[in-house]
Amino acid sequence: MLATGALAAVPAQAATAPSIVAKGGYVMNNSTAKTLYTKAADTKRSTGSTTKIMTAKVVLAQSNLNLDKKVTIQKAYSDYVVANNASQAHLIVGDKVTVRQLLYGLMLPSGCDAAYALADTYGSGSTRAARVKSFIGKMNKAATDLGLRNTKFDSFDGIGNGNNYSTPRDLTKIASSAMKNSTFRTIVKTKKYTAKTITKTGSTRTMAAWTNTNGLLSSYSGTIGVKTGSGPEAKYCLVFAATRNGKTVIGTVLASTSIAQRETDAKKLLNYGFATAG
């Protein structure tokens, strides 16, 4: 009996830290902020569309935010995604789309058109360029306010100009902060969302359903978010969170080698996180 009791006390310490393909990784206990795993956790890397976590966080932090406010889709947003061959929510120029819908379009299909619309709406200035610059300034201020020293944004969507970077630790902290917002939590755990927008003529358009790019929502029990990212420089990134037995583990992998591999890496880190979360 004694031997069994001794063994029973060991499992938390006995879990072996996994090997992941991603160049950077970080995991923490979301409620205690205790670090559970690190791999190059403070090395700055391109973040791809995981940048959009901060885009959403900044929008949701606006005072007197009206999620039902309607935003008219401009040709500039459409031209931008075409010019950059960027992921998009396929928003239609002239349609009126609510801020809530734009947030779904931002986080599920990773729409850079939705990101542009939100930056243009919630930045301040008399020109679109000024508003976008102002919005990116808010993103950087939010990072500073969280005490993050290894994060810099020069874009609203991750299509950076050479100065858009973060680290696995910093991105995890941004996501953990964003997850305190109930609207954010609802959006990032949604697998599919169909937006009904208002056309130029006032009729209702039912958009093609947006599917969440986060495969963990379907393949890892307890997953509650958060956001994928990819790009030529960023490779394959994933900020992830899951809850099991009342514990929430949150983390990030940066610069993995494929969509499947980033998910495999994340699952390994989640399993390890739950085994060591205490």
Side-chain angles (χ1 to χ4, degrees):
M1 289 301 286
L2 282 173
T4 324
L7 285 171
V10 172
Q13 289 76 27
T16 307
S19 168
I20 59 169
V21 173
K23 288 185 178 167
Y26 181 79
V27 179
M28 74 178 190
N29 179 325
N30 194 49
S31 60
T32 63
K34 183 189 173 195
T35 296
L36 304 172
Y37 173 93
T38 63
K39 176 183 178 180
D42 301 306
T43 301
K44 297 172 188 171
R45 297 188 190 280
S46 175
T47 56
S49 287
T50 60
T51 297
K52 291 171 178 140
I53 298 168
M54 184 61 97
T55 311
K57 178 175 156 58
V58 167
V59 170
L60 289 164
Q62 299 300 305
S63 55
N64 304 313
L65 178 69
N66 176 10
L67 289 167
D68 298 316
K69 171 187 164 84
K70 290 184 174 62
V71 174
T72 303
I73 302 306
Q74 307 295 319
K75 185 170 182 291
Y77 313 155
S78 177
D79 290 348
Y80 171 81
V81 289
V82 171
N84 287 284
N85 192 25
S87 54
Q88 57 171 308
H90 298 282
L91 300 170
I92 312 286
V93 176
D95 276 14
K96 289 186 171 61
V97 183
T98 68
V99 171
R100 187 191 313 274
Q101 290 167 337
L102 286 173
L103 287 165
Y104 276 95
L106 174 78
M107 298 304 282
L108 272 63
S110 202
C112 295
D113 44 358
Y116 198 162
L118 289 165
D120 192 12
T121 302
Y122 290 103
S124 51
S126 55
T127 65
R128 186 171 290 124
R131 290 190 292 275
V132 165
K133 186 177 177 186
S134 153
F135 186 85
I136 294 166
K138 291 182 182 185
M139 293 169 70
N140 284 312
K141 183 179 185 304
T144 303
D145 289 349
L146 284 172
L148 309 181
R149 297 195 181 142
N150 296 314
T151 296
K152 177 86 187 291
F153 298 107
D154 71 355
S155 76
F156 48 74
D157 58 2
I159 301 176
N161 302 296
N163 211 17
N164 198 93
Y165 56 80
S166 189
T167 68
R169 189 190 307 268
D170 281 10
L171 267 175
T172 302
K173 288 181 177 177
I174 292 167
S176 180
S177 172
M179 290 291 270
K180 290 175 180 165
N181 181 285
S182 61
T183 301
F184 184 89
R185 286 198 306 276
T186 299
I187 291 169
V188 297
K189 73 178 180 191
T190 301
K191 291 181 190 176
K192 261 192 170 37
Y193 180 86
T194 302
K196 288 186 176 353
T197 61
I198 307 300
T199 68
K200 284 177 187 169
T201 58
S203 63
T204 301
R205 183 195 310 279
T206 302
M207 298 284 288
W210 291 323
T211 302
N212 201 316
T213 54
N214 181 4
L216 292 184
L217 289 166
S218 302
S219 65
Y220 191 87
S221 166
T223 298
I224 54 171
V226 177
K227 183 75 187 76
T228 60
S230 60
E233 193 186 350
K235 305 304 180 204
Y236 294 88
C237 311
L238 182 55
V239 181
F240 51 86
T243 300
R244 287 183 178 179
N245 301 320
K247 282 179 197 151
T248 299
V249 169
I250 189 163
T252 299
V253 288
L254 292 183
S256 196
T257 52
S258 68
I259 289 173
Q261 189 59 57
R262 74 183 171 197
E263 289 181 10
T264 299
D265 287 343
K267 286 174 188 176
K268 283 183 180 179
L269 294 186
L270 281 165
N271 288 339
Y272 181 70
F274 285 119
T276 56

